Amino acid sequence: MIFLTALPLFWIMISASRGGHWGAWMPSSISAFEGTCVSIPCRFDFPDELRPAIVHGVWYFNSPYPKNYPPVVFKSRTQVVHESFQGRSRLLGDLGLRNCTLLLSNLSPELGGKYYFRGDLGGYNQYTFSEHSVLDIINTPNIMVPPEVVAGTEVEVSCTVPDNCPELHPELSWLGHEGLGEPAVLGRLREDEGTWVQVSLLHFVPTREANGYRLGCQASFPNTTLQFEGYASLDVKYPPVIVELNSSVEAIEGSHVSLLCGADSNPPPLLTWMRDGTVLREAVTESLSLELDEVTPAEDGVYACLAENAYGQDNRTVGLSVMYAPWKPTVNGTVVAVEGETVSILCSTQSNPDPILTIFKEKQILATVIYESKLQLELPAVMPEDDGEYWCVAENQYGQRATAFNLSVEFAPVILLESHCAAARDTVQCLCVVKANPEPSVAFELPSRNVTVNETEREFVYSERSGLLLTTILTLRGQAQAPPRVICSSHNLYGTKSLELPFQGAHRLMWAKIGPVGAVVAFAILIAIVCYITQTRRKKNVTESPSFSAGDDPPVLFSSDFRISGVPEKYESERRLGSERRLLGLRGEPPELDLSYSHSDLGKRPTKDSYTLTEELAEYAEIRVK
């Protein structure tokens, strides 16, 4: 809006124009409310040398040329006007004083248009001026709002109405300005081209809530029913404020998650979803969702929504917690230890929520923690009993996972008390049970015969390992005399252990009771039985080897791999296995042992394998000495 503080340029130009040439000055445009009146200010000039006795004038509507027969608005000579202007037009100015001001009353929309003035000085001295005024018939006040209204910054809004009717002057009032500020009426002001306006100003500091607010101005004319209202919507610019966002979200692994962010701003903001500085999605909109399909634990974390426009920005975060079952536990720590050492084993996993962690062995709980992801097991001084398989189990409400691990305790050999020797008929079996880790070597010593038999000599020794236990059996056949002393010796990298094996069972007592004489008598009876069996078999045409006689068949030491022809294998195996299990009480199958044979069976064996125990042990010792 323009405020006039000096004489209008229009009148300055009029004063300077008195040089004696044709010319007219009037506002290029003028406005008035419907139903009111309007005064179109007009001045004209002509050459001084004409000096007419009387001056006439004519106002035309929408055309300056009489030959076009435009509607006559006013004519000073005849007062004949177009019907549209009858009773509505009159001249306010004095044409003799070169004032052609026109008054139009009872305005209606059809009167809006261009108005031209023609000077008539008589005869040929007539002149239609090209200058004209455009009349605009209005019915609303003009509310002027600054092109940019920013929240928090004071603004000035003006209401302007034309005041060019000398008979009616408008009064202004604001509508809906409550809470915005008190209006200030500046009154009647003159514009540059000689027209008049009424102006009212409203100063206030807008807020974001005022955006879109309808502000009104009313122009009323006293003593009439004429009222005109105009409205303007406030376009308040303000920075974004995030008004909608998920609270913290919990989702089960594999489910669908939708995160929604909405912001209020003017103009609309650029919304951006981000995580760890990475843009996931963005768009210029008031609401933006982020869709996550089949969420995984890797998507657990904090998500940020950023809203920004030219006037500022806002951001907020939301946490996504992905709930899932524990991962398979991992075990980091000592899995091999020497007896007496301290062992520390760490079991860890990952889950949400944190799991219950438990370490147990053979269904016995050794350590447990609740709602923690790590569990440490401390064994201050491990013993052989600590060797074995352990389990680390992690569980929460979404599932359970477990990991098995082995603790290997290494220690020197220990010969268990169940180690012993037992005699049956002419056979001696010695059982040596050793507990050790790593696996030890085992040897049997016969001090009285200066002989050592180790586990590699499979003809005499059978070994079987089960866990930490190594069971070794020495089998000696042909023991007609008192059984020898047997010492079991075991060795690994942590030490050596030896134990003389005691004899157990009724057979050992029998040797002590009958003595040497009883032994000779028993041997004679045995020879007689053998001779009887031999004679019986001869009658059945069973061929006997010529190199053997009933009286000189000595006890022999056989290999466990040798088989007697003619004896069913299944029967022989079952008989030996039953005898050995009764003797030793062992699990498993020791080497096959030949405990007794008939004279005819022995006759079928090669003579080169026939030795007495004494001869074989002597030969074995002689070979070792060499």
Side-chain angles (χ1 to χ4, degrees):
M1 187 187 67
I2 302 172
F3 299 97
L4 188 62
T5 59
L7 289 176
L9 180 62
F10 172 76
W11 299 116
I12 296 176
M13 293 176 64
I14 289 296
S15 300
S17 66
R18 295 187 179 273
H21 63 273
W22 293 102
W25 292 264
M26 64 186 72
S28 60
S29 64
I30 192 169
S31 60
F33 283 106
E34 181 181 359
T36 64
C37 66
V38 64
S39 173
I40 302 176
C42 175
R43 293 186 67 84
F44 68 100
D45 200 6
F46 51 86
D48 292 338
E49 62 269 18
L50 295 180
R51 297 183 182 184
I54 187 170
V55 178
H56 291 280
V58 181
W59 280 93
Y60 291 117
F61 181 64
N62 279 340
S63 178
Y65 306 111
K67 63 180 180 179
N68 294 333
Y69 301 103
V72 176
V73 177
F74 172 82
K75 190 173 183 179
S76 62
R77 283 184 180 274
T78 63
Q79 302 296 319
V80 176
V81 297
H82 188 271
E83 60 181 357
S84 300
F85 295 95
Q86 289 180 0
R88 291 184 173 184
S89 62
R90 63 189 177 97
L91 194 66
L92 293 182
D94 185 352
L95 296 178
L97 298 177
R98 305 182 187 189
N99 188 336
C100 52
T101 301
L102 177 68
L103 177 66
L104 298 175
S105 303
N106 194 20
L107 296 175
S108 58
E110 66 270 14
L111 299 186
K114 298 177 181 179
Y115 288 82
Y116 296 87
F117 178 71
R118 179 180 176 85
D120 182 4
L121 304 183
Y124 293 101
N125 296 319
Q126 298 182 18
Y127 189 83
T128 300
F129 299 98
S130 60
E131 293 82 359
H132 62 277
S133 185
V134 178
L135 175 61
D136 184 21
I137 309 300
I138 64 174
N139 53 23
T140 58
N142 181 29
I143 299 177
M144 295 182 64
V145 180
E148 184 177 72
V149 178
V150 180
T153 303
E154 185 181 48
V155 296
E156 178 186 276
V157 179
S158 66
C159 177
T160 305
V161 296
D163 190 10
N164 296 305
C165 178
E167 302 171 357
L168 296 172
H169 295 286
E171 292 182 354
L172 298 179
S173 60
W174 288 94
L175 304 176
H177 69 286
E178 295 82 2
L180 296 180
E182 291 300 322
V185 179
L186 295 184
R188 192 167 184 256
L189 297 176
R190 190 172 186 179
E191 297 181 306
D192 290 343
E193 293 186 328
T195 58
W196 295 84
V197 294
Q198 283 278 2
V199 179
S200 179
L201 301 179
L202 183 64
H203 292 267
F204 62 95
V205 177
T207 62
R208 67 176 56 246
E209 291 76 18
N211 182 47
Y213 193 87
R214 260 185 113 230
L215 187 62
C217 178
Q218 183 184 77
S220 60
F221 294 86
N223 303 320
T224 69
T225 59
L226 297 175
Q227 283 188 345
F228 302 93
E229 295 179 355
Y231 291 89
S233 293
L234 296 180
D235 184 18
V236 181
K237 309 295 184 182
Y238 54 92
V241 173
I242 295 177
V243 296
E244 182 179 14
L245 189 70
N246 303 75
S247 56
S248 296
V249 177
E250 288 188 357
I252 300 175
E253 181 179 13
S255 63
H256 175 83
V257 173
S258 179
L259 302 179
L260 181 63
C261 178
D264 174 38
S265 71
N266 186 28
L270 172 65
L271 288 179
T272 305
W273 275 108
M274 303 178 67
R275 179 170 180 256
D276 297 333
T278 301
V279 175
L280 304 177
R281 190 184 181 195
E282 64 179 1
V284 177
T285 180
E286 295 181 350
S287 181
L288 183 66
S289 64
L290 179 64
E291 305 296 332
L292 301 175
D293 295 323
E294 298 182 356
V295 292
T296 65
E299 294 173 292
D300 187 287
V302 177
Y303 291 76
C305 176
L306 175 65
E308 57 183 336
N309 64 11
Y311 300 94
Q313 67 176 19
D314 189 19
N315 68 82
R316 289 177 60 187
T317 60
V318 57
L320 172 61
S321 181
V322 180
M323 319 301 286
Y324 58 97
W327 292 358
K328 186 176 179 63
T330 58
V331 177
N332 298 320
T334 304
V335 292
V336 177
V338 179
E339 182 180 11
E341 289 183 345
T342 298
V343 172
S344 178
I345 298 174
L346 178 65
C347 176
S348 62
T349 185
Q350 183 175 329
S351 69
N352 192 12
D354 284 333
I356 299 175
L357 274 173
T358 305
I359 296 179
F360 65 88
K361 177 188 179 188
E362 297 176 354
K363 299 183 180 180
Q364 179 182 0
I365 296 177
L366 303 179
T368 186
V369 291
I370 298 176
Y371 305 137
E372 294 186 22
S373 60
K374 295 182 179 180
L375 173 60
Q376 188 148 353
L377 175 64
E378 294 284 348
L379 300 176
V382 292
M383 299 182 295
E385 291 74 13
D386 296 322
D387 188 287
E389 183 180 60
Y390 292 72
W391 285 88
C392 178
V393 179
E395 61 180 328
N396 62 13
Q397 60 265 45
Y398 299 102
Q400 180 189 82
R401 296 295 297 274
T403 296
F405 62 94
N406 288 304
L407 172 61
S408 179
V409 180
E410 297 186 343
F411 55 94
V414 177
I415 300 178
L416 304 186
L417 296 179
E418 59 256 37
S419 302
H420 64 278
C421 290
R425 298 185 183 177
D426 61 347
T427 300
V428 173
Q429 283 190 326
C430 293
L431 173 69
C432 185
V433 182
V434 180
K435 186 176 184 180
N437 189 23
E439 182 176 352
S441 61
V442 176
F444 293 93
E445 298 180 12
L446 283 68
S448 60
R449 294 182 173 101
N450 195 25
V451 173
T452 299
V453 182
N454 58 44
E455 58 187 334
T456 61
E457 300 176 56
R458 299 300 182 185
E459 293 183 1
F460 310 108
V461 178
Y462 165 76
S463 296
E464 180 181 286
R465 184 173 178 85
S466 176
L468 299 178
L469 295 180
L470 176 64
T471 302
T472 307
I473 300 174
L474 171 66
T475 302
L476 302 175
R477 291 193 177 87
Q479 298 300 303
Q481 302 177 3
R485 290 176 55 218
V486 179
I487 298 175
C488 177
S489 178
S490 180
H491 171 78
N492 67 7
L493 59 89
Y494 296 106
T496 301
K497 185 70 173 179
S498 297
L499 177 67
E500 181 174 349
L501 303 179
F503 274 84
Q504 295 181 0
H507 292 285
R508 182 186 177 189
L509 297 176
M510 180 185 70
W511 288 105
K513 288 181 180 180
I514 64 175
V517 177
V520 172
V521 174
F523 184 69
I525 294 173
L526 178 61
I527 292 176
I529 294 173
V530 172
C531 291
Y532 174 77
I533 295 174
T534 302
Q535 294 297 330
T536 303
R537 290 193 176 182
R538 284 179 179 175
K539 293 179 182 181
K540 296 180 181 180
N541 297 322
V542 178
T543 305
E544 182 181 6
S545 174
S547 60
F548 285 89
S549 65
D552 59 357
D553 186 13
V556 293
L557 182 65
F558 295 114
S559 170
S560 62
D561 294 331
F562 194 82
R563 295 289 186 273
I564 300 175
S565 61
V567 180
E569 181 177 351
K570 178 177 181 182
Y571 170 78
E572 180 185 5
S573 174
E574 291 177 352
R575 179 173 59 82
R576 287 200 301 271
L577 180 59
S579 175
E580 291 169 359
R581 285 184 172 174
R582 287 193 304 272
L583 180 63
L584 303 177
L586 297 177
R587 296 177 62 184
E589 296 184 1
E592 299 175 351
L593 306 175
D594 297 329
L595 301 179
S596 63
Y597 304 97
S598 65
H599 185 272
S600 60
D601 292 332
L602 295 175
K604 297 176 183 179
R605 302 176 64 87
T607 57
K608 64 179 180 178
D609 291 332
S610 301
Y611 297 96
T612 65
L613 175 62
T614 303
E615 291 173 335
E616 177 146 355
L617 293 177
E619 182 178 327
Y620 182 79
E622 184 178 357
I623 292 174
R624 284 185 171 263
V625 171
K626 291 179 179 182

